[in-house]
Amino acid sequence: YIGVTEDCIWIFEKFKIKTPKESFIDKYCETLDINKNKFKKKFIIQRRPLEKFPEFTNEAFCQILGYIIGDGGIEYSYGKVRHLSLTDKNLDLLSIYGGLIKKAFNIEGTLRKKKGNSNSLRFPNYLAGYFKNIDSKILVSSPKRQVPGFIFNLPKREISAFIGGLFDAEGTCGHHFVSFSSSSLILIEEIQVLLLKFGLQSYIYPDFEENKKKWRYQLNIYSQRQLKQFVREIGFNSD
């Protein structure tokens, strides 16, 4: 009647098991005349953790979003989305963002070593789907990435967190400047507008990469006064 072997029933009764088909649980509980909900709560292990998706923006969410736009990508397998991945050489930085995502979404990342000095922190495909539903331009190819429209209307502390995430991903410190680089001119120009909300003036420089045959753009912030302002208002999360 239940449609499984005695061995399967023995495993079912002796150990907690991963979620079987709902029809199997129905027949099992009906046969033994036991409460289905109580049984599931005590004996069934969820196949994946109960993730939580925030209903409202906050600083942590905006910081994560900024980092994903800067360094996030989608990994495919046979044409299907397999992972949302964050790529960086800095393991400490990946650890920071892995912790933020764990706290914000209750989703654990898996660290993988890539070719060269790079590392990848992978998350399940449903997290990629969540961000794609927020704005289709978040995880498009790098030259087409943009700042999601709603960011411009957020409180300054959340905009600051968003910019901080971007600079963690693609920012750097020079001898007398801080900079952000991207292959998306639109993204660079939008960041320039957001920085003005903090009184920070920036300059954009185009650079044609001969080896890759494509344009890349760099946004720089100069002057001691402005650099101090950047540290106070935004800053970096990585030493």
Side-chain angles (χ1 to χ4, degrees), residues 34 51 153 167 194:
I34 55 180
E51 67 278 357
N153 299 317
F167 270 79
L194 289 175

Side-chain angles (χ1 to χ4, degrees), residues 2 41 53 74 82 111 128 134 139 141 146 149 155 182 189 191 193 197 199 208 211 230:
I2 296 177
K41 185 176 181 180
F53 296 112
I74 293 177
R82 300 298 298 175
L111 188 65
I134 291 175
L139 287 167
S141 60
Q146 296 178 221
S182 173
E189 290 175 336
I191 295 169
V193 172
K197 291 178 177 286
F208 186 73
N211 59 330
F230 177 85

Side-chain angles (χ1 to χ4, degrees), residues 148 155 186 199 239:
I186 294 176
D239 291 339

Side-chain angles (χ1 to χ4, degrees), residues 27-228:
K27 289 180 180 179
Y28 185 87
C29 293
E30 179 185 337
T31 301
L32 299 180
D33 192 26
I34 55 180
N35 184 285
K36 175 182 172 181
N37 291 330
K38 289 183 178 179
F39 175 82
K40 289 178 68 175
K41 185 176 181 180
K42 186 174 181 180
F43 291 103
I44 303 300
I45 298 174
Q46 296 292 330
R47 289 188 184 275
R48 71 186 196 205
L50 296 174
E51 67 278 357
K52 54 182 181 181
F53 296 112
E55 297 180 12
F56 305 98
T57 59
N58 54 45
E59 291 176 55
F61 170 83
C62 291
Q63 184 180 334
I64 292 166
L65 179 58
Y67 192 81
I68 286 174
I69 291 175
D71 251 345
I74 293 177
E75 295 183 17
Y76 293 90
S77 178
Y78 299 102
K80 294 184 178 181
V81 177
R82 300 298 298 175
H83 304 284
L84 167 66
S85 64
L86 304 180
T87 304
D88 207 294
K89 294 178 182 178
N90 189 332
L91 285 172
D92 290 338
L93 199 55
L94 288 178
S95 178
I96 289 172
Y97 281 90
L100 282 173
I101 290 174
K102 170 65 176 175
K103 186 174 181 180
F105 300 99
N106 195 33
I107 298 175
E108 200 86 53
T110 303
L111 188 65
R112 295 289 180 92
K113 182 71 176 176
K114 300 186 75 175
K115 290 182 179 179
N117 296 324
S118 192
N119 304 283
S120 174
L121 189 60
R122 289 176 168 179
F123 296 91
N125 58 2
Y126 51 87
L127 186 60
Y130 169 76
F131 282 105
K132 288 178 74 174
N133 286 335
I134 291 175
D135 192 305
S136 59
K137 295 184 178 66
I138 291 175
L139 287 167
V140 293
S141 60
S142 296
K144 297 180 181 179
R145 294 200 178 180
Q146 296 178 221
V147 174
F150 68 89
I151 292 290
F152 292 89
N153 299 317
L154 294 179
K156 282 184 68 175
R157 65 182 184 277
E158 294 184 7
I159 295 175
S160 171
F162 174 77
I163 298 173
L166 282 166
F167 270 79
D168 280 343
E170 294 290 353
T172 189
C173 293
H175 183 269
H176 59 287
F177 62 88
V178 294
S179 69
F180 175 85
S181 63
S182 173
S183 56
S184 170
L185 179 58
I186 294 176
L187 178 62
I188 287 280
E189 290 175 336
E190 289 175 328
I191 295 169
Q192 188 175 49
V193 172
L194 289 175
L195 287 170
L196 289 173
K197 291 178 177 286
F198 302 91
L200 292 167
Q201 187 176 4
S202 57
Y203 301 86
I204 297 173
Y205 302 96
D207 177 43
F208 186 73
E209 298 180 324
E210 286 289 348
N211 59 330
K212 297 182 180 179
K213 301 299 180 184
K214 68 177 184 179
W215 287 95
R216 192 165 183 84
Y217 306 90
Q218 185 167 312
L219 177 149
N220 287 6
I221 301 170
Y222 300 102
S223 91
Q224 191 176 76
R225 181 189 63 81
Q226 289 217 122
L227 294 177
K228 288 180 177 179

